[in-house]
Amino acid sequence: MSEPPADAETFLAVTDSVAALQPGLSTLEAGVMAALHLDLARDSRSFARVFGIEHALVLRAVETLASEAGLLALTDRNARTQRTHYAPSAAGETVLAHLHG
């Protein structure tokens, strides 16, 4: 059996680090970035499922990270389910480069 990519403590520490680097982000937005960095989720539906958060809330956070914060680039969206795939933008890569974990 393989090890999980990250434990809860690591995820929370990376979320806190993202929030410290980008003080304008909500905890959920920082968590989306942390999950991306830790390779826990690269789309809105997976993030919602892994963390037990309503998909609509995750979609809102992803939209904010892509439009207002400029930290994500949206790579694909399913028109029926609204599942949105994302990757770090250039600005997002800069933030993630400062993280450990």
Side-chain angles (χ1 to χ4, degrees), residues 54-97:
E54 288 193 38
H55 188 229
L57 296 175
V58 178
L59 283 172
R60 201 170 303 140
V62 167
E63 286 296 328
T64 299
L65 287 166
S67 60
E68 295 173 27
L71 298 176
L72 290 182
L74 305 183
T75 59
D76 189 35
R77 175 173 282 155
N78 182 299
R80 184 179 61 78
T81 65
Q82 295 302 303
R83 178 181 223 152
T84 303
H85 294 263
Y86 47 82
S89 66
E93 287 284 358
T94 300
V95 170
L96 297 180

Side-chain angles (χ1 to χ4, degrees), residues 4-6 11 32-42 50-51 96 101:
F11 172 74
V32 169
M33 294 301 293
L36 184 60
H37 175 68
L38 295 169
D39 202 25
L40 297 174
R42 294 189 171 276
V50 167
F51 294 100
L96 297 180

Side-chain angles (χ1 to χ4, degrees), residues 12-34:
L12 293 173
V14 173
T15 299
D16 288 344
S17 295
V18 171
L21 290 167
Q22 297 289 306
L25 298 182
S26 71
T27 303
L28 179 55
E29 293 161 356
V32 169
M33 294 301 293

